[in-house]
């Protein structure tokens, strides 16, 4: 069971290599023909600033700790529920930090999965985007070819993919429980008027206009959470973490918070709706920038809902998603089979051909 995510530097000294990989990824930050020039330039210029941010949250990202914990706990549940495919072994594959995809893939081969095992690529981005899950799958396909070849002897690692799960009931319940816990900290007489601000990582508009499904899937998650909460509070969806001068999907989270504070809505709860654990975007950007500035401006009731992290409800949801996938015999979702309207990426095409048009029989692999 391979958990895929962007990752994060564990120490301040790892920030530079992390940013170099991030800005080199045209799936995430498209810079056109100047990618190889602008990517390293931007990463070098941003490294000191980002190092200070990681220092401010304790010296590194907790995303590896949480990913390894979540995957290990999920596998314990799967071993009990799915004895026919047990034992289930947890792996983590990060796109921009250790353990990188190539490290994970080599471990799979060293552990014998190239000749006798099945592997499930389980995205930890619940809402699919070509810039996140798509990029991770492109990288996985690249290392499949480099380490095993396009047609490895014996068939190679037998892959299937959990590529999205934006409205899974367990995921929605985990978000709702954390929101309810934070709402309970407000006095009863104001609780129903607290504004819920769902915040997700933004995308360049060039990616959105290409037909990326991410904005719609994030909105679906938000609507499912509000349905579970019986629409108890006013709410909005906003977007964070824009980089560079190009147009990004808005409204920006920081601008949204300050706009509501100025309008007199001083009780707000921020909900990181597209993240499955804490990292720099929650611990620094939301906690130390957005909320700090809001309080300076009079937003004394601006708070953040807890991230999913070690939530037992969330870990059970992970196991539910994985169990259904293992028992369904599916290689991937139906959505994986169609490309974005404006997609021209040959790498994306090859990756999708592998993950969707394979003739492998997953049920045979399980047996």
């Amino acid at each position: 069971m391979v958990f895929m995510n962007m990752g994060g530097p564990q120490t301040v000294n790892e920030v530079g290599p992390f940013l170099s990989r991030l800005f080199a990824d045209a799936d995430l930050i498209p810079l056109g023909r100047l990618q190889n020039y602008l990517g390293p330039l931007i990463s070098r210029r941003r490294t000191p600033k980002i190092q200070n941010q990681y220092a401010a949250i304790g010296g590194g990202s907790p995303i590896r700790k949480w990913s390894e914990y979540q995957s290990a706990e999920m596998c314990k549940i799967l071993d009990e529920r799915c004895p026919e495919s047990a034992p289930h072994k947890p792996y983590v594959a990060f796109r921009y930090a250790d353990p990188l995809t190539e490290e994970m893939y080599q471990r799979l081969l060293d552990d014998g999965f190239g000749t006798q095992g099945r592997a499930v690529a389980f995205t930890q981005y619940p809402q699919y985007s070509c810039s996140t899950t798509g990029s991770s799958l492109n990288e996985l396909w690249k290392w499949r070819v480099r380490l095993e070849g396009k047609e490895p002897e014996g068939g190679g690692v037998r892959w299937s993919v959990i590529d999205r799960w934006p409205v899974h009931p367990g995921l929605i319940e985990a978000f709702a429980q954390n929101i309810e816990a934070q709402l309970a900290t407000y006095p009863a007489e104001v609780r129903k008027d607290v504004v819920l601000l769902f915040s997700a990582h933004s995308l360049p508009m060039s990616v959105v206009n290409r037909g990326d499904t991410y904005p719609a899937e994030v909105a679906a998650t938000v609507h499912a959470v509000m349905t579970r909460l019986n629409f108890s509070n006013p709410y909005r969806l906003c977007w964070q973490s824009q980089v560079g001068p190009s147009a990004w999907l808005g409204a920006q989270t920081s601008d949204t918070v300050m706009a509501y504070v100025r309008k007199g809505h001083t009780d707000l709860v921020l909900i990181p709706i597209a993240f499955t654990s804490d990292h720099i975007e929650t611990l620094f950007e939301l906690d130390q920038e957005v909320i700090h500035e809001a309080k300076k401006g009079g937003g004394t009731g601006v708070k953040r809902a807890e991230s999913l992290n070690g939530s037992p409800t969330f870990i059970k949801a992970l196991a539910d998603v994985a169990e259904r996938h293992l028992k369904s015999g599916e290689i991937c979702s139906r959505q994986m089979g169609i490309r974005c309207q404006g997609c021209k990426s040959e790498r994306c095409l090859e990756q999708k051909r592998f993950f969707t048009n394979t003739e492998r029989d997953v049920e045979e692999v399980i047996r």
Side-chain angles (χ1 to χ4, degrees), residues 1-3 67-76 87-92 107 111:
M1 305 302 297
V2 179
F3 271 30
S67 296
E68 290 177 341
Y69 175 80
Q70 292 164 348
S71 60
E73 292 301 303
M74 179 197 71
C75 284
K76 292 177 185 178
H88 304 86
K89 187 167 183 178
Y91 294 82
V92 171
R107 281 186 56 210
D111 290 344

Side-chain angles (χ1 to χ4, degrees), residues 32-175:
R33 291 178 296 177
L34 296 177
Q35 188 91 36
N36 292 335
Y37 170 75
L38 290 177
L41 179 64
I42 296 171
S43 65
R44 284 195 301 269
R45 288 185 174 180
R46 288 182 60 84
T47 292
K49 176 183 177 181
I50 305 303
Q51 284 178 326
N52 290 335
Q53 292 181 1
Y54 276 101
I57 65 168
S61 171
I63 192 171
R64 180 171 183 174
K65 176 190 77 173
W66 286 121
S67 296
E68 290 177 341
Y69 175 80
Q70 292 164 348
S71 60
E73 292 301 303
M74 179 197 71
C75 284
K76 292 177 185 178
I77 298 174
L78 289 178
D79 285 346
E80 296 179 0
R81 293 187 186 175
C82 306
E84 68 278 8
S85 54
H88 304 86
K89 187 167 183 178
Y91 294 82
V92 171
F94 286 152
R95 185 65 180 84
Y96 312 114
D98 293 333
L100 294 165
T101 304
E102 58 264 42
E103 298 170 27
M104 175 281 301
Y105 213 117
Q106 189 60 58
R107 281 186 56 210
L108 278 179
L109 297 178
D110 293 343
D111 290 344
F113 282 88
T115 56
Q116 61 183 2
R118 175 187 178 187
V120 178
F122 191 169
T123 181
Q124 292 307 293
Y125 307 101
Q127 306 92 0
Y128 184 93
S129 172
C130 296
S131 62
T132 53
T133 299
S135 176
S136 290
L137 290 174
N138 286 341
E139 190 75 356
L140 182 61
W141 164 241
K142 180 181 80 175
W143 286 102
R144 147 83 179 204
V145 173
R146 289 187 180 183
L147 295 177
E148 294 194 278
K150 285 193 174 182
E151 297 181 5
E153 184 177 348
V157 178
R158 273 71 168 177
W159 285 102
S160 64
V161 182
I162 301 172
D163 50 88
R164 70 199 76 208
W165 38 293
V167 292
H168 184 274
L171 173 71
I172 301 309
E173 181 63 26
F175 278 129

Side-chain angles (χ1 to χ4, degrees), residues 94-336:
F94 286 152
R95 185 65 180 84
Y96 312 114
D98 293 333
L100 294 165
T101 304
E102 58 264 42
E103 298 170 27
M104 175 281 301
Y105 213 117
Q106 189 60 58
R107 281 186 56 210
L108 278 179
L109 297 178
D110 293 343
D111 290 344
F113 282 88
T115 56
Q116 61 183 2
R118 175 187 178 187
V120 178
F122 191 169
T123 181
Q124 292 307 293
Y125 307 101
Q127 306 92 0
Y128 184 93
S129 172
C130 296
S131 62
T132 53
T133 299
S135 176
S136 290
L137 290 174
N138 286 341
E139 190 75 356
L140 182 61
W141 164 241
K142 180 181 80 175
W143 286 102
R144 147 83 179 204
V145 173
R146 289 187 180 183
L147 295 177
E148 294 194 278
K150 285 193 174 182
E151 297 181 5
E153 184 177 348
V157 178
R158 273 71 168 177
W159 285 102
S160 64
V161 182
I162 301 172
D163 50 88
R164 70 199 76 208
W165 38 293
V167 292
H168 184 274
L171 173 71
I172 301 309
E173 181 63 26
F175 278 129
Q177 288 178 3
N178 286 355
I179 294 168
E180 289 174 331
Q182 190 60 274
L183 283 173
T185 66
Y186 291 88
E189 62 270 18
V190 303
R191 195 171 299 151
K192 65 180 177 59
D193 297 318
V194 175
V195 178
L196 305 181
L197 292 181
F198 294 90
S199 184
H201 202 296
S202 187
L203 281 182
M205 286 306 297
S206 60
V207 176
V208 175
N209 292 335
R210 192 173 63 209
D212 199 282
T213 62
Y214 175 75
E217 294 191 13
V218 172
T221 305
V222 171
H223 191 268
V225 171
M226 290 309 303
T227 300
R228 157 62 177 78
L229 295 174
N230 199 28
F231 295 93
S232 60
N233 293 72
Y235 70 100
R236 286 293 186 272
L237 171 58
C238 46
W239 308 88
Q240 65 180 91
S241 309
Q242 295 89 331
V243 179
S246 62
W248 285 61
L249 183 62
Q252 293 188 31
T253 299
S254 56
D255 294 342
T256 299
V257 170
M258 293 310 299
Y260 278 125
V261 169
R262 286 192 293 268
K263 294 176 188 295
H265 298 289
T266 57
D267 293 329
L268 309 167
V269 173
L270 288 161
I271 303 115
I273 197 65
F275 306 119
T276 56
S277 70
D278 275 322
H279 44 79
I280 193 75
E281 284 85 353
T282 58
L283 297 175
F284 186 83
E285 186 177 352
L286 294 183
D287 291 354
Q288 298 191 33
E289 287 189 327
V290 174
I291 294 178
H292 177 72
E293 288 302 310
K295 290 185 182 299
K296 283 173 54 179
T300 54
V302 179
K303 304 178 183 181
R304 177 173 69 86
E306 186 78 17
S307 296
L308 298 177
N309 292 338
S311 160
T313 301
F314 175 62
I315 291 170
K316 180 179 178 296
L318 291 171
D320 290 345
V321 173
E323 179 184 10
R324 182 200 171 282
H325 178 80
L326 289 168
K327 292 181 176 180
S328 71
E330 294 176 351
I331 297 295
C332 59
S333 76
R334 295 285 294 172
Q335 282 285 72
M336 269 284 290

